[in-house]
Amino acid sequence: MPAPDSALGGYDPRAGRSERHERRPALIPLPGLLRSLLTEHLDPGYAAAAAARETSGQSRRTIADRAWQAVAAVLIAVVFAAAVAQARATAPGVNAAQQVLAASVRSAEGTTDRLTQRRDELATQSDSIQRRQLRDDTAGRDLLSKLDALSLAAATTAVIGPGLSVTVTDPGVGRDLSDVSKQRVAGSRQIILDRDLQLTVNSLWASGAEAISVGGVRMGPNVTIRQAGGAILVDNHPISSPYTILAVGPPGEMRDTFDRSSGLQRLRLLEVSYGVGVSVSTGDGLSLPASAVREIKFAKQIGR
């Protein structure tokens, strides 16, 4: 490259640059005005005004929000105070109403018990008079024997005799029953259910029982065992643990058959899985009460 003419005031732009720097492309600086036009789209004055409006708006919103929060807190406090005052004002009336209802229930239960006892006494007197009249001749005695057989099947007469006694005890509230895996029914700690007692009773019938009672209630044609919430009802009478099932019949034969029955197998499974208490024993002189006599309004003969 020709040397510059220093006399003409020229200079060599590559002076003092190495060969490596000489091969680099030349950088053309971007003017400040063009840079600001490409990057800053808003005039600084407008930006400052927008920032000022945003700051003042936030302060106003903050004051308004705090005011609404205070008003809401006052309203909630007023509502709670009114609810507490109303509860305190109505509490004596509610307690009095509960006491009246409880007294009415107890009175009704007492009246029902007295009427039931009176009914049983009258039924016993009627049966005694009927039996005295029928014992006088041969036809009457034959009719009396047939009535006794029908009364036994209908569970309308008390029974005393040997048989089996089955006692099932609920484990109650245990530390491990809070586990979901230990809950036989979701959300409930009850282990023994109506279907367990139903299967046990049916197994005793199949084992040769002549009369059965559950929780002191005689099982008959119209008597049911069902679940009502957390209670078990036998003929609409609530029973609780321990559940005692008495079966009158030949003890030895009943025990042999019942030990192989599905009812006892289920009880044993509950005993192993949930800790249910199961006790089976033979006894003499088991006493079973008579079942309530119900009026039959419709009947149909089957099987003939």
Side-chain angles (χ1 to χ4, degrees), residues 147-159:
L147 288 175
D148 289 340
L150 293 175
S151 298
L152 181 61
T156 56
T157 57
V159 175

Side-chain angles (χ1 to χ4, degrees), residues 15-39:
R17 295 169 62 90
S18 64
E19 184 178 357
R20 180 168 60 86
H21 287 85
E22 289 179 358
R23 289 196 297 268
R24 287 185 177 181
L27 301 178
I28 301 175
L30 187 66
L33 178 61
L34 182 59
R35 182 185 299 110
S36 63
L37 290 176
L38 294 176
T39 58

Side-chain angles (χ1 to χ4, degrees), residues 76-148:
I76 293 174
V78 171
V79 170
F80 273 101
V84 171
Q86 185 177 5
R88 290 180 177 177
T90 59
V94 172
N95 293 333
Q98 290 177 349
Q99 293 177 1
V100 170
L101 291 175
S104 299
V105 171
R106 288 192 294 267
S107 177
E109 290 178 349
T111 302
T112 302
D113 294 339
R114 288 193 299 271
L115 292 176
T116 301
Q117 183 178 2
R118 180 59 177 168
R119 180 204 62 192
D120 295 340
E121 293 175 355
L122 293 176
T124 302
Q125 293 178 7
S126 175
D127 185 66
S128 300
I129 295 173
Q130 183 179 1
R131 298 182 73 86
R132 284 198 303 266
Q133 296 294 329
L134 293 176
R135 287 198 193 101
D136 293 339
D137 53 15
T138 304
R141 287 191 292 271
D142 293 340
L143 180 58
L144 186 60
S145 62
K146 294 179 180 179
L147 288 175
D148 289 340

Side-chain angles (χ1 to χ4, degrees), residues 206-223:
S207 301
E210 300 175 3
I212 298 177
S213 68
V214 179
V217 180
R218 181 75 173 275
M219 300 301 299
N222 297 320
V223 177

Side-chain angles (χ1 to χ4, degrees), residues 193-264:
L193 306 177
D194 54 350
R195 55 179 177 264
D196 305 321
L197 300 182
Q198 292 171 3
L199 183 58
T200 303
V201 170
N202 291 333
S203 298
L204 288 172
W205 285 124
S207 301
E210 300 175 3
I212 298 177
S213 68
V214 179
V217 180
R218 181 75 173 275
M219 300 301 299
N222 297 320
V223 177
T224 60
I225 303 175
R226 61 186 182 88
Q227 195 89 17
I232 296 179
L233 303 181
V234 181
D235 197 21
N236 291 328
H237 293 279
I239 61 174
S240 59
S241 178
Y243 306 98
T244 302
I245 305 173
L246 301 179
V248 172
E253 298 177 5
M254 289 176 57
R255 182 64 182 268
D256 293 339
T257 307
F258 184 67
D259 287 343
R260 301 188 301 271
S261 66
S262 58
L264 186 58

Side-chain angles (χ1 to χ4, degrees), residues 60-79:
R60 287 195 296 270
R61 285 197 300 271
T62 302
I63 296 174
D65 292 342
R66 290 180 179 177
W68 280 113
Q69 290 175 359
V71 171
V74 171
L75 291 177
I76 293 174
V78 171
V79 170

Side-chain angles (χ1 to χ4, degrees), residues 173-189:
V173 179
R175 182 177 302 176
D176 59 346
L177 291 182
S178 60
D179 188 1
V180 176
S181 63
K182 293 295 183 179
Q183 294 180 358
R184 196 173 177 203
V185 178
S188 174
R189 293 182 174 179

